[in-house]
Amino acid sequence: MTDDDLLRYSRHLLLDEIGIEGQQRLLDASALVIGAGGLGSPVALYLASAGVGRITLVDHDTVSLTNLQRQIAHDMASLDRPKVESAAARMAALNPAVQVRTLARKADAALLDAEVPRADVVIDCSDNFATRHLVNAACVRHGRPLVSGAAIGFDGQVSVYRAHGTHPCYACLFPPESGFEDVACATMGVFAPLVGIIGSLQAAEALKLLAGVGEPLAGRLLMLDGRRMQWSEIAVQRDPDCPVCGA
């Protein structure tokens, strides 16, 4: 760790739970972020500012004017630019020492099977059930922890899926065959700060996992009612008949 690192990350180093060893683990770590929109923006910026050494961003979309109400990694100068490139530029401005790879592609099964094994943690910031299930299945196959978040309207949720021992995977809670209907921001709307709140929580959970501190949200689904700013939590059990992680 250089003198500049000691200064840049000094507020982490002052935390007994992180200190020099925990910060070094962040510097040595690799994270895969699926989605560079509302949730992915705060995730990407906080991972970069915290010094996660290698970050891969995956998103096939480009920046539009409707994104700027909530997707804080982008600005007017980014319009029509790939979101991964726009976000990477903001990350480099925050912390040029972080290595950022950009993949302007959809997160399909082939891409995930190539990228998930390279990551120490996967953060799912996508906006549809099909992608979430693909990401979850890849994390189960390759034994990688998954930090998953969702936000629509005034409601948000976040959890960590580790899929070993008694811990559930995403499909234990949201079975692929259950027929959950996707609700898009374009039709339902979303409260701008909500994605910042949920995305920041995803970043916090990812950093905790990488630094080896605290207790992750594994086996717990944290939910936010943004109308009343009221949090609730439910325990999630592993489903022994889960088609993804069950025996």
Side-chain angles (χ1 to χ4, degrees), residues 81-162:
R81 188 179 184 186
K83 287 183 179 179
V84 289
E85 293 183 7
S86 173
R90 290 293 296 274
M91 295 162 72
L94 275 173
N95 192 347
V98 171
Q99 300 176 31
V100 181
R101 293 174 61 237
T102 60
L103 297 174
R105 296 170 48 191
K106 285 189 175 182
D108 58 21
L111 181 146
L112 292 168
D113 275 336
E115 296 298 330
V116 167
R118 303 175 62 176
D120 298 307
V121 66
V122 179
I123 306 99
D124 185 358
C125 304
S126 63
D127 60 359
N128 63 88
F129 282 111
T131 301
R132 291 174 191 148
H133 279 295
L134 285 175
V135 174
N136 174 70
C139 287
V140 172
R141 280 196 301 274
H142 299 289
R144 295 296 186 268
L146 169 62
V147 182
S148 179
I152 193 72
F154 285 86
D155 301 315
Q157 63 184 40
V158 62
S159 189
V160 172
Y161 301 100
R162 304 190 78 168

Side-chain angles (χ1 to χ4, degrees), residues 60-234:
H60 69 286
D61 202 4
T62 57
V63 180
S64 71
L65 188 60
T66 60
N67 300 147
L68 302 187
Q69 166 253 9
R70 64 200 179 280
Q71 299 184 15
I72 60 172
H74 316 300
D75 56 28
M76 290 293 292
S78 302
L79 293 179
D80 299 321
R81 188 179 184 186
K83 287 183 179 179
V84 289
E85 293 183 7
S86 173
R90 290 293 296 274
M91 295 162 72
L94 275 173
N95 192 347
V98 171
Q99 300 176 31
V100 181
R101 293 174 61 237
T102 60
L103 297 174
R105 296 170 48 191
K106 285 189 175 182
D108 58 21
L111 181 146
L112 292 168
D113 275 336
E115 296 298 330
V116 167
R118 303 175 62 176
D120 298 307
V121 66
V122 179
I123 306 99
D124 185 358
C125 304
S126 63
D127 60 359
N128 63 88
F129 282 111
T131 301
R132 291 174 191 148
H133 279 295
L134 285 175
V135 174
N136 174 70
C139 287
V140 172
R141 280 196 301 274
H142 299 289
R144 295 296 186 268
L146 169 62
V147 182
S148 179
I152 193 72
F154 285 86
D155 301 315
Q157 63 184 40
V158 62
S159 189
V160 172
Y161 301 100
R162 304 190 78 168
H164 61 77
T166 60
H167 293 139
C169 78
Y170 180 83
C172 293
L173 182 59
F174 301 102
E177 72 280 2
S178 59
F180 285 100
E181 183 178 355
D182 280 318
V183 182
C185 296
T187 56
M188 185 73 174
V190 61
F191 185 46
L194 179 69
V195 292
I197 295 169
I198 299 301
S200 295
L201 282 172
Q202 288 182 268
E205 288 299 306
L207 291 171
K208 284 164 53 184
L209 288 167
L210 294 175
V213 302
E215 179 182 348
L217 275 171
R220 297 180 290 150
L221 179 67
L222 187 63
M223 297 176 292
L224 172 63
D225 177 350
R227 300 168 188 82
R228 297 184 292 171
M229 284 301 165
Q230 181 172 330
W231 294 95
S232 59
E233 181 183 297
I234 62 171

Side-chain angles (χ1 to χ4, degrees), residues 1 9-26 211 213:
M1 201 176 299
Y9 306 118
S10 60
R11 300 310 187 267
H12 268 179
L13 304 182
L14 290 170
L15 296 171
D16 291 339
E17 296 88 345
I18 298 181
I20 290 180
E21 291 184 1
Q23 184 61 49
Q24 189 62 56
R25 283 193 286 269
L26 295 179
V213 302

Side-chain angles (χ1 to χ4, degrees), residues 25-36:
R25 283 193 286 269
L26 295 179
L27 295 172
D28 295 337
S30 175
L32 174 63
V33 182
I34 308 297

